[in-house]
Amino acid sequence: MENIEVLIIGCGIAGATAALRLAQNPERQITIITRASDAHESNTRYAQGGIIGRGPDDSSELLFEDIVAAGAGVSSPQAARILADEGPQLLNEVLERTAGVVFDHTAEGTPIWGQEAAHSRRRILHVGDATGRAIMKGLVAALNDRPNITIKSEATAVDLITFPHHSRNPLDNYREISCHGCYVFDRSEKTVHRYLASATILATGGLGRIYRNTTNPVGARGDGLAMAHRAGARIANAEYVQFHPTALAAPGAEGLLISEAVRGEGGVLLTPELRPFMERYSPQWKDLAPRDVVARAIHHEMEAQGYSYVLLDIASHMPTDAIRERFPFIYDECLKVGLDISREPVPVVPAAHYFCGGVLVDEWARSTIRNLYAVGEISCTGVHGANRLASTSLLEGLVWGNRAALEIERAISAETNGQKPKFEDIPSWDESGLSAEPDPALIQGDMQTIQNIMWHYVGLVRSADRLSRAIRELRHLWNEIETFYRTTKLSDGLIGLRNAVEVALIVAQAAQHNRQSRGCHYRQDSVSVTGDRLI
Ligand code: SIN
């Protein structure tokens, strides 16, 4: 049993930013848990392209307009405004000054601004093509420097600890449930602990791993979303799963992201017969059209022509040395599987990349459950709407991580947390009746079934028939997995499987409910509402 002030579940840019801001008060005790063995491991670490800064010819207004345009009419203008106003300054304060991240610059010290799809300006700061790695290195070093932050690795959150809340303040009544921490599975001890907290922040990243093809790391299985859903939090925009157009399609390196920055630097998509095709789908933006348009165009080419991939060619558009200097990570990773991006086009396919929906939060990262906050990819602030603008995710993590911390500091100082349960009120985890160890073959088999259902029926192109089929099969699996979970000893894999089927159903049901195609939710049985955005 642990009694802590602020519990942060997840250690990417959003959770780390919240922790660093809270730690400025030396009285605050902050605990971060991560299921990974190494705190550097998170979705953030895999970000390649970069993060939005404010270039010389840029403004908050221009960024706001680009975010809202990409969001296809679903973004919250208020949230997009907050991001555009606060993001670039926090980048400087948290990443450059606190975490010591040095973004690429010229010999004279001028930042080298990158270009990505649907941005009206060059405004992406990057560290080569491994921006997320540089950010996590700096952030983890800064976290380790703070005496009032504890990081606990190999700790998988199981379920939130919630109580009904009986507030005397009628304005608070809409938040009827309170969160008081989390049950946490310690992977080395194989035991479950109760972590009791005044405030809990979900910062668990996305859910790309519920799809067969994804750019996401193994931990991205929607843990935070599933826990919040089981606890009764409101979830929003779950149908909007963004597919990245270009993941490497080569045995041994499936899902390796080939950054949009490659197309930003002139890379062109080609059919296997070396014919460019994006002009037919987006005469204005061509290869730098919004992600949903490019991903569907590739899908359409593959389906119509029977291709198993298309090609991405940067070799004909950039000198060899410049490619190696600008994209050293992608260059090295491709070479490992026998592909040289500086000499030849490489095979790519779309892959699930980013969850634009999530746990519904307000401008201070508050969910619909008292004392439960959500930040980063697992939250839905409203910024991304139906389709996220490239390189906004790290920025959103910074802004809402910071805002969650400010709000928690306010709430704890004002002692507005209502009744807190005592340790003895929280039942301890009871596995006494369970003897069966989880069977890894069952876990892997069920996970693959979920991934295939999601890929084929809840993927880039959806229809009523595909979605009904997905929901029927997922419901059946949900029942099977729930029985498995209740009769078997815990493991990280079993927790992940239970969460994966829960969030797969959430996504599939939201997709079935919304019959209107917008942004990254495309239904072939609906009327186009966004003109040339659809194929
Ligand atoms: C990329 O580098 O293409 C990914 C950037 C992002 O998802 O924002």
Side-chain angles (χ1 to χ4, degrees), residues 457-488:
Y457 305 147
V458 199
L460 273 151
V461 175
R462 301 160 176 182
S463 69
D465 285 348
R466 291 180 187 185
L467 292 167
S468 310
R469 175 77 171 272
I471 290 168
R472 269 199 312 277
E473 295 193 9
L474 288 169
R475 280 200 182 124
H476 171 71
L477 258 179
W478 189 96
N479 284 323
E480 291 287 323
I481 291 169
E482 202 54 28
T483 308
F484 184 28
Y485 174 80
R486 298 204 172 276
T487 53
T488 313

Side-chain angles (χ1 to χ4, degrees), residues 46-51 116-117 119 124 129 131 215 242 244-246 257-263 291 327 330 353-354 388-394:
Y46 294 81
Q48 291 183 358
I51 180 165
E116 284 183 1
H119 283 273
I124 315 297
D129 57 352
T131 311
T215 60
Q242 183 174 68
H244 197 287
T246 57
L257 179 64
I258 306 293
S259 176
E260 197 158 90
V262 172
R263 279 173 288 127
R291 258 178 212 176
F327 302 111
I330 298 172
H353 181 62
Y354 190 87
R388 181 178 65 94
L389 181 68
S391 286
T392 47
S393 50
L394 297 176

Side-chain angles (χ1 to χ4, degrees), residues 25-327:
N25 178 351
E27 315 269 282
R28 273 309 147 248
Q29 290 303 320
I30 301 116
T31 299
I32 302 178
I33 61 164
T34 167
R35 61 166 291 287
S37 313
D38 173 355
H40 295 87
E41 174 65 19
S42 67
N43 275 14
T44 299
R45 182 159 182 268
Y46 294 81
Q48 291 183 358
I51 180 165
I52 293 168
R54 180 141 309 133
D57 61 344
D58 203 359
S59 68
S60 166
E61 192 56 32
L62 284 171
L63 174 56
F64 168 81
E65 283 168 13
D66 289 351
I67 293 170
V68 169
V74 182
S75 295
S76 144
Q78 189 200 9
R81 181 77 63 195
I82 289 173
L83 189 83
D85 286 349
E86 296 179 13
Q89 193 208 319
L90 277 169
L91 179 151
N92 178 255
E93 186 188 326
V94 179
L95 296 187
E96 294 185 311
R97 284 195 269 132
T98 307
V101 178
V102 181
F103 292 101
D104 289 359
H105 53 273
T106 62
E108 294 73 44
T110 312
I112 300 174
W113 300 102
Q115 177 76 59
E116 284 183 1
H119 283 273
S120 57
R121 292 288 182 279
R122 276 192 168 262
R123 54 163 78 102
I124 315 297
L125 288 172
H126 50 88
V127 183
D129 57 352
T131 311
R133 280 166 194 253
I135 288 176
M136 283 317 296
K137 192 165 169 228
L139 285 174
V140 173
L143 293 171
N144 285 333
D145 247 16
R146 305 293 187 276
N148 51 344
I149 297 178
T150 306
I151 304 180
K152 181 109 189 58
S153 52
E154 300 206 326
T156 307
V158 185
D159 261 320
L160 296 167
I161 296 169
T162 51
F163 269 37
H165 175 77
H166 305 291
S167 172
R168 266 176 272 152
N169 177 359
L171 288 178
D172 280 346
N173 277 347
Y174 72 101
R175 289 193 168 95
E176 287 168 354
I177 305 169
S178 315
C179 177
H180 298 285
C182 192
Y183 288 104
V184 178
F185 177 66
D186 182 316
R187 280 163 57 196
S188 45
E189 292 173 12
K190 292 194 186 307
T191 48
V192 175
H193 297 283
R194 290 163 286 179
Y195 280 53
L196 216 55
S198 300
T200 303
I201 305 181
L202 292 174
T204 52
L207 48 67
R209 283 275 159 174
I210 65 172
Y211 283 90
R212 193 185 71 192
N213 293 353
T214 179
T215 60
N216 289 189
V218 286
R221 53 198 192 182
D223 286 4
L225 190 79
M227 288 191 296
H229 186 248
R230 285 194 292 268
R234 200 164 150 209
I235 311 297
N237 292 1
E239 63 274 43
Y240 300 116
V241 176
Q242 183 174 68
F243 291 81
H244 197 287
T246 57
L248 193 67
E254 295 89 350
L256 174 75
L257 179 64
I258 306 293
S259 176
E260 197 158 90
V262 172
R263 279 173 288 127
E265 297 301 336
V268 172
L269 288 160
L270 305 170
T271 65
E273 299 86 20
L274 304 181
R275 276 184 290 105
F277 57 87
M278 272 313 299
E279 180 146 19
R280 277 189 280 123
Y281 295 96
S282 178
Q284 183 197 353
W285 294 93
K286 303 186 188 67
D287 293 86
L288 285 179
R291 258 178 212 176
D292 58 317
V293 177
V294 184
R296 270 197 306 276
I298 296 175
H299 179 84
H300 187 76
E301 287 291 311
M302 287 171 61
E303 235 181 36
Q305 309 298 332
Y307 305 142
S308 44
Y309 56 80
V310 296
L311 294 169
L312 177 59
D313 178 27
I314 183 70
S316 319
H317 304 278
M318 219 177 165
T320 304
D321 290 350
I323 293 175
R324 289 190 199 163
E325 193 184 327
R326 177 66 181 87
F327 302 111

